[in-house]
Amino acid sequence: MDFDYSPKTRELRARLLQFMDEHIYPAEATYSAELAANTAAGKRWSALATIEHLKPKARAADLWNLFLPIDSATVLSYEGAGLTNQEYAPLAEIMGRVPWASEVFNCSAPDTGNMETIARYGDDASKVRWLGPLLEGRIRSAFAMTEPEVASSDATNIATRIERQGDEYVIDGHKWWISGAADPRCAVFVTMGRTNPDAPRHAQQSMLLVPADAKGITIVRPLNVLGYDDAPHGHVEMLFDGVRVPVGNILLGEGCGFEIAQGRLGPGRIHHCMRLIGMAERALELMCKRAASRTAFGRTVAQQTVTQERIAEARCKIDMARLLTLKAAWLMDVAGNKAAKTEIAMIKVVAPNMACQVIDWAIQAHGGGGMCDDFPLAYAYVHARTLRFADGPDEVHRNAIAKWELGRYGADGHTAAVPVTHGC
């Protein structure tokens, strides 16, 4: 593969870097101060003016909906960037340097995956009602899959029940870690549940578009994340109790939920991993600057051999993770998500672990400063550690990788290939 950036990516990358320098980094202190003020006033889930004021600037700079893939570039007469996964990946890395920056460009999760899902599988009415406002950045969305009563690392365990009654589906279930659900702008849940328990294992689940104001939806509580409440985006525990939606709200068809989930998570993992790489790059940058400016035992921290070893290891780990992620993106573009399944699983293991290690070293170099919010490292570590779960725990991906590798030699008698098509 060719690792060089395309002319389109080079041009967008230059403009994005300039925007980050002119608008995002200078707004970090304002963002933190506004969030603290909102929390003190009991409004921590409110949209932040810091971000809302920057969105028109990003749109005016043609840095809007950059994630929208090339096969979905024209949706509802809206022209997206039309980038391939490989072209978008370096841009996601830049945005990842500041955790909230992606929202400024309407490129934040879970909206990106939800917009792609609706664009690919939603009917015309759903695209008009939900996709258009999402592309405009006027509403937010959530992806309701994970459940507390089952090991949701295996998506076929999902227990939420979806039953058809006439022209409606009725949903009953218990979900948690539903990101963005507490945001008052969240208008729709892409919801996964079981429509046919008697079908083959990977054909039991379906996905529905559920309006956030539907009767029977209850937000139980926001969930803390390693001590952070993660407002204003956040994660919640929620209930679906007899929630009714029209049958037209189903995506692709009954039994196609697992197929949609697999297709949705491929690009999402590229986005997450590249954002993590950007976060790790910034941590390394902060580590180098801090180490060069602090003296301990008669030498700068940068002159200590252990620090030099960590800086060298960090550079190696970051570059290896980037190259592997770009390879996965390239393979998805040229051969499809299914052909890239091993590489996608590999980056999900490699990138979060790399980021956790690099950020941890940066925290260590900052001493006490690394443990508080004077630097972005503590929250970055929490974010990176969370992403080791977000698209499935390491153990699941390592197990799949090992089975695919063993299957090349017939060592275990089977492979980890998962059927994802059932006539959907």
Side-chain angles (χ1 to χ4, degrees):
M1 65 168 291
D2 183 0
F3 286 99
D4 194 15
Y5 297 144
S6 72
K8 182 185 289 187
T9 296
R10 284 197 294 269
E11 192 266 334
L12 285 169
R13 188 172 180 275
R15 288 198 280 116
L16 185 57
L17 286 168
Q18 182 179 356
F19 194 98
M20 295 286 289
D21 287 339
E22 292 181 358
H23 301 291
I24 300 296
Y25 300 128
E28 286 188 280
T30 305
Y31 175 95
S32 298
E34 185 182 2
L35 180 56
N38 282 1
T39 300
K43 302 187 300 180
R44 73 183 194 274
W45 300 107
S46 301
L48 295 182
T50 303
I51 292 179
E52 296 306 306
H53 290 163
L54 290 176
K55 286 181 178 179
K57 297 180 185 293
R59 194 162 187 176
D62 289 329
L63 296 172
W64 189 256
N65 287 342
L66 298 172
F67 75 95
L68 202 60
I70 196 165
D71 58 349
S72 300
T74 304
V75 181
L76 299 176
S77 299
Y78 184 88
E79 292 291 337
L83 302 175
T84 64
N85 287 295
Q86 186 183 357
E87 287 177 321
Y88 176 68
L91 307 180
E93 177 182 340
I94 293 169
M95 288 183 271
R97 291 174 62 88
V98 176
W100 49 266
S102 295
E103 185 182 350
V104 171
F105 309 99
N106 210 36
C107 291
S108 56
D111 292 333
T112 51
N114 289 341
M115 283 188 269
E116 286 191 46
T117 298
I118 299 172
R120 293 177 186 274
Y121 307 117
D123 61 16
D124 290 342
S126 296
K127 290 176 182 177
V128 170
R129 182 175 181 183
W130 308 118
L131 183 57
L134 281 167
L135 288 168
E136 294 288 331
R138 292 187 282 112
I139 63 172
R140 299 295 305 272
S141 62
F143 185 62
M145 185 180 81
T146 307
E147 300 179 359
E149 283 84 12
V150 299
S152 298
S153 55
D154 179 357
T156 64
N157 280 339
I158 298 301
T160 292
R161 192 75 178 96
I162 299 175
E163 295 184 357
R164 181 164 181 169
Q165 295 182 6
D167 293 332
E168 294 179 315
Y169 284 108
V170 182
I171 309 164
D172 291 281
H174 186 189
K175 302 286 188 180
W176 72 342
W177 293 106
I178 309 307
S179 56
D183 191 320
R185 297 167 297 173
C186 181
V188 61
F189 297 99
V190 179
T191 305
M192 187 167 177
R194 183 170 292 180
T195 46
N196 186 357
D198 299 320
R201 186 172 175 225
H202 294 90
Q204 296 177 7
Q205 303 81 19
S206 301
M207 282 195 192
L208 294 173
L209 296 174
V210 181
D213 60 358
K215 292 182 179 180
I217 295 178
T218 302
I219 302 296
V220 178
R221 58 172 176 149
L223 297 165
N224 284 345
V225 185
L226 293 179
Y228 287 90
D229 70 9
D230 218 13
H233 186 60
H235 306 76
V236 307
E237 178 184 357
M238 60 187 298
L239 296 171
F240 292 83
D241 184 10
V243 177
R244 292 178 174 270
V245 299
V247 294
N249 284 29
I250 197 165
L251 295 171
L252 194 57
E254 288 192 14
C256 296
F258 192 83
E259 177 182 349
I260 295 171
Q262 292 299 102
R264 181 186 184 279
L265 289 175
R269 284 171 179 154
I270 296 292
H271 303 175
H272 276 321
C273 291
M274 291 304 291
R275 283 193 289 260
L276 281 168
I277 290 164
M279 190 177 292
E281 277 284 7
R282 193 175 188 203
L284 177 57
E285 176 184 310
L286 291 170
M287 179 182 178
C288 291
K289 290 178 178 178
R290 180 75 167 186
S293 67
R294 309 287 278 194
T295 300
F297 307 107
R299 293 189 297 173
T300 64
V301 175
Q303 291 173 319
Q304 307 291 339
T305 302
V306 65
T307 303
Q308 294 176 359
E309 289 178 352
R310 288 172 177 173
I311 289 171
E313 280 295 308
R315 169 49 58 210
C316 293
K317 287 177 180 290
I318 291 171
D319 283 8
M320 287 189 291
R322 180 186 294 110
L323 290 171
L324 184 59
T325 306
L326 289 174
K327 179 192 175 185
W330 168 79
L331 192 57
M332 289 166 59
D333 291 334
V334 300
N337 292 7
K338 187 174 181 180
K341 63 183 184 297
T342 305
E343 285 74 12
I344 292 171
M346 289 164 64
I347 64 173
K348 182 57 182 69
V349 174
V350 168
N353 280 280
M354 174 279 297
C356 283
Q357 181 63 82
V358 172
I359 296 167
D360 182 73
W361 284 334
I363 289 172
Q364 202 73 5
H366 280 71
M371 301 298 292
C372 68
D373 291 341
D374 287 3
F375 298 91
L377 296 169
Y379 182 70
Y381 184 86
V382 170
H383 186 71
R385 185 62 184 85
T386 302
L387 285 176
R388 285 182 59 194
F389 285 112
D391 287 330
D394 294 352
E395 294 81 356
V396 172
H397 297 296
R398 286 194 174 103
N399 185 57
I401 294 164
K403 286 182 177 179
W404 288 324
E405 191 68 18
L406 288 166
R408 296 171 58 194
Y409 308 99
D412 66 345
H414 69 281
T415 69
V418 175
V420 294
T421 57
H422 309 280
C424 295

